[in-house]
C-alpha cells in the first residue's frame, strides 16, 4: 500500500501526543478514489474469507467501510455511540475508551443487524491502543458473529493495539503501519511489509 504511505507522508500532519492528523483525505474530507484503492486491497487480502457483513464504528470508520462494503458486495453495520444508558434488550452494547477524547463512551449495535450466522470483516480508520477494536470484537462476540478479519487503514505500530489483537489470533491487515513519528520534524517512518 505504498500509495497510502505516500499520501500520509504528503498530507498527514504529526501532532504532539502521538496524534496523526489525516483529516484532509481520510476522516474529515474524504478522498473516495483513495478509499476505493484501499477497499480493493482489503478485498484482495481477504479474498479467502466468507465475509457477509462489514462492521465499523461511528463516525470516521463509516466512509471507509461503506466503500469497502461496495467492493465486497455486502452491507455495512456501524456501532452507534449511545448517550443514554442502554436499557433496551434489542441492542448489544459495550464501553469503549476513546484515544482522541480520553473518555469512555457506550456503543450499541441492534440485534436485528448482527447475529449468529454473520461473518464480519471489521474495518476502521486507525488502530492505536486497540480500545475501539476490542469494543467491536466484544459486540461481535456478544452477537455470536464470526470475525473473519480486521482491516485497518493506519496502524500506529508503536502503540500496543496491533500486537494485542494479533496475539489474540485475529487476522489483522493494516494498509500502512507507522513505526515512529516526530511532531517536531514531521518525520514519519513506516514499517516495511511484503505487500
Ligand atoms: P484506539 O481505540 O485503537 O486507541 O484508537 C482508535 C480510534 O482512535 C480510531 O478509531 C480513531 O478514531 C482514533 N485515533 C487513534 N489514534 C489516532 C490518530 O493518531 N489520529 C486520528 N486522527 N485518530 C486517531
Amino acid at each position: 500500500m505504498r500509495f497510502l504511505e505516500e499520501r500520509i507522508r504528503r498530507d498527514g500532519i504529526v501532532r504532539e501526543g502521538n496524534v496523526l492528523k489525516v483529516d484532509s483525505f481520510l476522516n474529515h474530507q474524504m478522498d473516495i478514489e483513495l478509499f476505493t484503492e484501499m477497499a480493493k486491497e482489503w478485498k484482495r487480502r481477504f479474498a479467502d474469507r466468507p465475509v457477509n457483513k462489514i462492521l465499523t464504528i461511528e463516525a470516521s470508520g463509516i466512509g471507509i467501510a461503506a466503500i469497502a462494503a461496495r467492493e465486497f458486495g455486502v452491507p455495512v453495520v456501524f456501532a452507534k455511540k449511545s448517550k443514554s444508558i442502554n436499557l433496551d434488550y434489542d441492542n448489544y452494547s459495550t464501553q469503549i475508551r476513546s484515544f482522541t477524547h480520553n473518555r469512555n463512551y457506550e456503543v450499541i449495535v441492534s440485534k436485528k443487524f448482527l447475529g449468529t450466522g454473520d461473518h464480519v470483516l471489521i474495518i476502521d480508520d486507525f488502530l492505536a491502543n486497540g480500545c475501539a477494536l476490542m469494543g467491536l470484537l466484544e459486540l461481535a462476540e456478544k452477537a455470536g458473529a464470526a470475525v473473519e478479519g480486521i482491516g485497518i487503514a493506519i496502524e500506529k505500530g508503536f502503540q500496543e493495539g496491533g500486537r494485542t489483537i494479533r496475539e489474540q489470533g485475529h487476522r489483522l491487515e493494516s494498509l500502512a503501519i507507522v513505526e515512529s513519528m516526530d511532531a517536531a520534524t514531521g518525520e514519519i517512518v513506516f514499517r516495511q511489509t511484503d505487500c
Side-chain angles (χ1 to χ4, degrees):
M1 275 315 271
R2 292 278 172 259
F3 61 86
L4 181 57
E5 294 182 1
E6 280 163 17
R7 190 61 181 273
I8 295 166
R9 247 192 246 289
R10 197 180 85 198
D11 294 332
I13 299 166
V14 183
R15 287 275 163 84
E16 292 294 341
N18 282 333
V19 171
L20 177 61
K21 272 193 87 72
V22 286
D23 56 358
S24 65
F25 61 96
L26 199 80
N27 54 19
H28 193 162
Q29 176 168 261
M30 299 188 284
D31 182 337
I32 301 306
E33 284 301 313
L34 179 75
F35 286 15
T36 304
E37 290 308 310
M38 289 161 50
K40 287 187 173 141
E41 182 63 18
W42 281 316
K43 181 79 172 89
R44 190 181 69 77
R45 295 192 194 189
F46 291 108
D48 58 328
R49 298 289 168 122
V51 174
N52 79 326
K53 209 162 269 189
I54 304 260
L55 178 65
T56 189
I57 183 163
E58 194 178 17
S60 43
I62 295 175
I64 302 172
I67 303 297
R70 188 177 57 185
E71 207 60 45
F72 281 82
V74 300
V76 192
V77 177
F78 64 92
K80 283 179 162 227
K81 291 175 181 166
S82 155
K83 290 195 182 66
S84 56
I85 303 278
N86 178 33
L87 293 175
D88 90 61
Y89 295 101
D90 298 330
N91 298 318
Y92 299 109
S93 73
T94 190
Q95 293 279 324
I96 290 182
R97 176 131 204 102
S98 165
F99 173 81
T100 36
H101 299 110
N102 202 24
R103 63 177 176 83
N104 286 340
Y105 57 95
E106 187 185 43
V107 292
I108 58 158
V109 165
S110 169
K111 290 182 180 175
K112 278 187 291 192
F113 304 129
L114 196 63
T116 52
D118 277 327
H119 291 258
V120 300
L121 175 64
I122 296 177
I123 295 280
D124 204 4
D125 59 341
F126 269 93
L127 172 56
N129 292 323
C131 302
L133 261 188
M134 293 298 197
L136 290 174
L137 287 167
E138 194 181 324
L139 288 174
E141 192 185 336
K142 282 181 173 172
V147 175
E148 294 295 336
I150 301 167
I152 295 291
I154 306 173
E155 176 180 336
K156 294 192 291 181
F158 53 88
Q159 291 182 254
E160 69 203 40
R163 191 170 39 82
T164 309
I165 298 284
R166 288 186 181 94
E167 277 174 7
Q168 287 181 2
H170 290 289
R171 167 108 164 257
L172 167 61
E173 296 284 351
S174 301
L175 301 183
I177 304 180
V178 175
E179 207 58 275
S180 65
M181 55 189 204
D182 188 331
T185 62
E187 193 196 8
I188 302 171
V189 177
F190 293 98
R191 186 177 301 171
Q192 296 305 311
T193 58
D194 297 337
C195 302

